[in-house]
Amino acid sequence: MHEHVKHDKTGILLTAGSYFLWGILPLYWKAADSVSSEEILAHRIFWSFIFMLLVLTAGKNWPAMIQTLRNMKKRPLLIGSLILSSLLISANWFVYIWAVNNHHILEASLGYYINPLISVLLGMIFLKEKLNGWQKLSFILALTGVLISGFHFGSFPWISMILALSFGLYGLTKKVTKLNASIGLTFETLAVLPFSVMYLLHLSQTGKSSFLAGSLSVDLLLIGAGIVTAIPLLLFATGAQRIPLYMTGILQYIAPTLTLIAGLTIFNETFTRVDLVTFTFIWSALAVFTLSSSKAARSVHLKRMKNRSADI
C-alpha cells in the first residue's frame, strides 16, 4: 500500500513537472525571437533527434529500437502513423513558436485549454467512444466561447484551433503506434529530419542562417531547443504511467494556465472583455468536463484497486 502511494506521488511530480515545463516554454521561444519561426523549428527537429540518440544510448534502448524497425516491415500502418504523427507534431510546434513570437500567447493558451475537449471529440468520432450528458454540455459551453470570440473579432481563432486539433490528432495517432516514448519521439523526429537538414543547409548556403552567425547565446538556445522539447515528453511518459487517468486530466491545465499568466504579466498582451467572456466559457466547460470525467475515472480506478486487494 505504501509503495503504491509512493509511486502515485512520484507520478504526480513527474507529470506536473512536464506540464510546468510546457507552460513556461514561451519564455524560451521568446528568448530566441530574433530567429525566424521556420529556422527555430528546423533546429528543434534536428537537435531533438540528436538528443534522443543520446537518450537511447544512455537507456540502452537500441535493441528495442532495432526490434521496432523490424516490426515496421510487417506493419505498414505503423509507418504511416509515425509519419502522420511527425507531421502533426511538427505543425503544432511551428504554430506554437510562431504564436509566441508574434504576440499571440493568449490564443496559444486558449488552444491548449480547448485541446482536452477536442481529444475527447476525436475519440468519439474515430474510436466510437461515448459521451455522457455533462460532457456534451461542456462541448456546448466551449463552442459558445469560441463562437463569441470569432463573431466579435470578425475572424475564427485559427491559432487556437490549429494547436488544439494538431495536438489532439497527434494523440490519436499515438494510440495507434503505442511505442515507447523515447523510441516514438526518435522516429517522429527522424521522419521530418531530412526536411529540417535541407532547410538548414539552404539557410547556410544563402547566408541567412542565424546559427554560428556570431551570437553564442543564440547558438546555445537553438541547440537547447532539442533538450527542452524532449525532457517534458519523457517526464510525461514516465509520470502518466504511475497515476490514474483522471489525475492526468486535472494536471494538464497547469501548462495553459502558466502560458496565460506569462502572456498577461510578462509579455503584456491585452486581455479584453471579450477574451474574459471567451475564457470564462472555456473554463466553465473544462470544469464541467473535468468533474464529470474525474468522477467516472475515479470510480473505475477504485473498483480496480478493490479487485487487486481482493486478489491479494
Side-chain angles (χ1 to χ4, degrees):
M1 179 67 180
H2 291 296
E3 184 180 356
H4 175 71
V5 173
K6 180 181 177 182
H7 279 231
D8 270 9
K9 288 181 178 178
T10 303
I12 290 171
L13 288 173
L14 290 172
T15 307
S18 69
Y19 283 121
F20 174 81
L21 292 175
W22 277 324
I24 63 173
L25 205 52
L27 302 177
Y28 194 92
W29 304 132
K30 273 290 187 182
D33 65 0
S34 62
V35 183
S36 71
S37 301
E38 294 86 355
E39 185 173 359
I40 292 176
L41 175 63
H43 278 285
R44 188 177 188 181
I45 292 168
F46 178 79
W47 294 110
S48 292
F49 178 72
I50 299 299
F51 182 72
M52 290 314 303
L53 293 182
L54 297 175
V55 170
L56 288 176
T57 302
K60 298 179 180 179
N61 285 327
W62 281 107
M65 180 77 167
I66 294 170
Q67 184 59 46
T68 302
L69 281 169
R70 290 173 179 167
N71 291 340
M72 283 184 178
K73 296 179 180 179
K74 306 173 185 177
R75 295 177 58 192
L77 180 61
L78 177 59
I79 299 174
S81 297
L82 282 169
I83 293 173
L84 181 58
S85 65
S86 66
L87 293 174
L88 287 167
I89 197 62
S90 296
N92 182 273
W93 288 350
F94 173 74
V95 173
Y96 187 73
I97 294 168
W98 184 91
V100 168
N101 289 348
N102 286 273
H103 315 294
H104 293 286
I105 295 177
L106 297 189
E107 286 186 62
S109 172
L110 179 63
Y112 287 111
Y113 275 124
I114 297 172
N115 173 248
L117 302 175
I118 293 293
S119 295
V120 174
L121 183 62
L122 291 172
M124 182 181 69
I125 295 172
F126 293 101
L127 305 178
K128 308 303 179 183
E129 296 176 352
K130 302 293 184 182
L131 299 182
N132 59 39
W134 290 108
Q135 290 171 331
K136 291 177 182 177
L137 174 61
S138 70
F139 280 106
I140 294 172
L141 290 170
L143 179 61
T144 302
V146 171
L147 290 176
I148 287 173
S149 176
F151 280 124
H152 179 81
F153 293 110
S155 62
F156 193 73
W158 290 110
I159 293 173
S160 302
M161 293 308 299
I162 289 173
L163 288 173
L165 280 169
S166 60
F167 203 73
L169 288 168
Y170 172 72
L172 188 63
T173 62
K174 299 294 279 186
K175 283 184 174 291
V176 177
T177 56
K178 295 180 181 179
L179 292 178
N180 170 280
S182 57
I183 292 175
L185 184 57
T186 303
F187 276 117
E188 287 164 8
T189 51
L190 176 61
V192 288
L193 184 66
F195 302 102
S196 167
V197 172
M198 285 190 292
Y199 183 71
L200 292 176
L201 288 174
H202 168 73
L203 290 178
S204 178
Q205 291 171 356
T206 56
K208 297 178 180 179
S209 175
S210 299
F211 188 63
L212 300 179
S215 175
L216 179 61
S217 61
V218 169
D219 294 343
L220 293 175
L221 283 170
L222 292 175
I223 293 173
I227 299 174
V228 301
T229 295
I231 288 179
L233 286 169
L234 296 175
L235 287 176
F236 175 79
T238 306
Q241 293 176 356
R242 294 171 172 259
I243 60 177
L245 185 61
Y246 72 83
M247 182 63 68
T248 305
I250 294 171
L251 293 174
Q252 68 185 323
Y253 302 124
I254 293 174
T257 300
L258 289 175
T259 301
L260 175 64
I261 293 171
L264 294 175
T265 60
I266 299 176
F267 304 116
N268 299 315
E269 290 199 7
T270 304
F271 195 71
T272 66
R273 290 182 180 180
V274 176
D275 289 325
L276 178 60
V277 173
T278 297
F279 272 88
T280 298
F281 270 99
I282 298 297
W283 288 329
S284 299
L286 292 175
V288 171
F289 173 78
T290 303
L291 289 173
S292 173
S293 300
S294 297
K295 186 176 180 180
R298 191 183 293 110
S299 176
V300 172
H301 180 64
L302 289 174
K303 286 181 181 178
R304 288 177 179 173
M305 292 302 298
K306 288 181 181 178
N307 291 336
R308 288 178 184 176
S309 299
D311 292 339
I312 294 173

